[in-house]
């Protein structure tokens, strides 16, 4: 049989149909296998892990065939228990596949230490933003006689006077002593006047 006759014969068409059928079956089986392997359509809703400790997180995720990894510890936040989840990724409510790793950040066990800045001779308006930038809090304000209005003269913590450079925990309240802007006559200055200095009024009376 010549090639031309073979290409137009029923045998050739039958073989082509058989080959197409085999390719179709193999393609169907392949995509079905891929779908099964990747758990296509089998999604898990990520639970809310907020305020759970690592042991509770592990127990909860094991039930859902999910894993977790601690990636960081954030600054202590009073609204969360110590060493519990503050942030998670993916977030709660997200849809993921089984075996997915949930990345979490834990609350620190306590505040970090910071250095008290030098606020002496700075104005109140300068001092407060500096404290807040370091995570410190403004405490009580007390005024004493001093020519510099709202000038920081002293810093106190819990009734104890402190110096710049002291290390304290974040969120510590710093009490400030400020000048009231009033000029006060210091009587001790009289002691510095030499005894042989006679007031002008006294000299004129003697004459």
């Amino acid at each position: 049989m010549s090639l031309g006759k073979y290409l137009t014969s029923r045998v050739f068409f039958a073989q082509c149909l058989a080959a197409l059928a085999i390719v179709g079956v193999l393609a169907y089986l392949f995509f079905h296998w891929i779908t099964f392997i990747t758990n296509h359509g089998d999604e898990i809703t990520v639970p809310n892990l907020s305020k759970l400790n690592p042991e509770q997180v592990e127990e909860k995720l094991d039930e859902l065939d999910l894993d977790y990894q601690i990636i960081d510890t954030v600054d202590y936040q009073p609204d969360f228990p110590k060493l519990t989840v503050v942030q998670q990724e993916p977030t709660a409510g997200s849809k993921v596949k089984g075996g997915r790793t949930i990345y979490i950040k834990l609350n620190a066990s306590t505040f970090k230490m910071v250095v008290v800045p030098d606020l002496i001779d700075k104005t109140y308006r300068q001092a407060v933003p500096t404290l807040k930038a370091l995570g410190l809090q403004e405490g009580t304000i007390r005024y004493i006689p001093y020519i510099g209005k709202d000038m920081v003269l002293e810093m106190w913590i819990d009734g104890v006077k402190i110096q710049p450079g002291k290390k304290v925990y974040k969120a510590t309240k710093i009490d400030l002593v400020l000048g009231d802007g009033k000029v006060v006559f210091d009587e001790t200055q009289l002691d510095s006047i030499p005894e042989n200095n006679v007031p002008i009024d006294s000299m004129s009376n003697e004459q």
Side-chain angles (χ1 to χ4, degrees):
M1 181 183 292
S2 64
L3 178 61
K5 291 183 177 181
Y6 172 73
L7 294 177
T8 58
S9 67
R10 293 183 177 180
V11 175
F12 174 74
F13 285 110
Q15 291 176 340
C16 288
L17 291 175
L20 290 174
I22 293 173
V23 171
V25 171
L26 291 177
Y28 171 79
L29 293 176
F30 174 77
F31 286 111
H32 183 73
W33 176 75
I34 289 295
T35 300
F36 176 78
I37 293 297
T38 58
N39 295 319
H40 180 71
D42 185 16
E43 295 182 327
I44 300 172
T45 301
V46 177
N48 185 5
L49 305 177
S50 179
K51 298 185 178 181
L52 299 182
N53 60 43
E55 291 76 16
Q56 294 170 321
V57 169
E58 183 174 6
E59 181 179 352
K60 195 164 188 174
L61 295 183
D62 280 347
E63 298 174 354
L64 300 172
D65 189 29
L66 297 175
D67 198 2
Y68 79 96
Q69 181 177 339
I70 301 172
I71 59 174
D72 198 4
T73 300
V74 302
D75 285 347
Y76 179 71
Q77 300 183 25
D79 295 337
F80 289 79
K82 298 177 180 179
L83 299 177
T84 60
V85 177
V86 175
Q87 300 176 21
Q88 66 179 86
E89 180 61 38
T91 57
S94 300
K95 301 293 185 179
V96 298
K97 296 175 182 177
R100 174 68 181 271
T101 298
I102 310 300
Y103 299 96
I104 61 176
K105 293 183 179 181
L106 300 182
N107 193 23
S109 59
T110 186
F111 287 108
K112 292 183 178 180
M113 301 288 285
V114 295
V115 176
V116 175
D118 187 0
L119 303 178
I120 305 302
D121 293 334
K122 289 183 171 56
T123 64
Y124 173 75
R125 292 182 62 181
Q126 293 173 321
V128 172
T130 302
L131 290 176
K132 291 183 177 180
L134 294 172
L136 299 172
Q137 297 184 23
E138 173 191 349
T140 59
I141 302 298
R142 182 165 59 92
Y143 287 90
I144 62 174
Y146 187 74
I147 190 172
K149 174 65 175 176
D150 289 333
M151 189 78 71
V152 178
L153 304 177
E154 298 175 358
M155 298 183 294
W156 294 68
I157 297 179
D158 295 330
V160 178
K161 184 177 178 180
I162 62 169
Q163 299 297 326
K166 178 180 177 61
K167 288 188 175 182
V168 299
Y169 287 110
K170 274 190 173 182
T172 298
K173 290 186 177 181
I174 309 296
D175 301 328
L176 301 176
V177 177
L178 308 178
D180 60 8
K182 298 178 181 179
V183 179
V184 178
F185 180 73
D186 188 355
E187 294 182 355
T188 60
Q189 292 180 356
L190 293 176
D191 298 334
S192 64
I193 301 178
E195 294 182 356
N196 58 352
N197 284 3
V198 181
I200 297 177
D201 292 343
S202 300
M203 294 178 61
S204 60
N205 292 334
E206 291 179 0
Q207 295 175 354

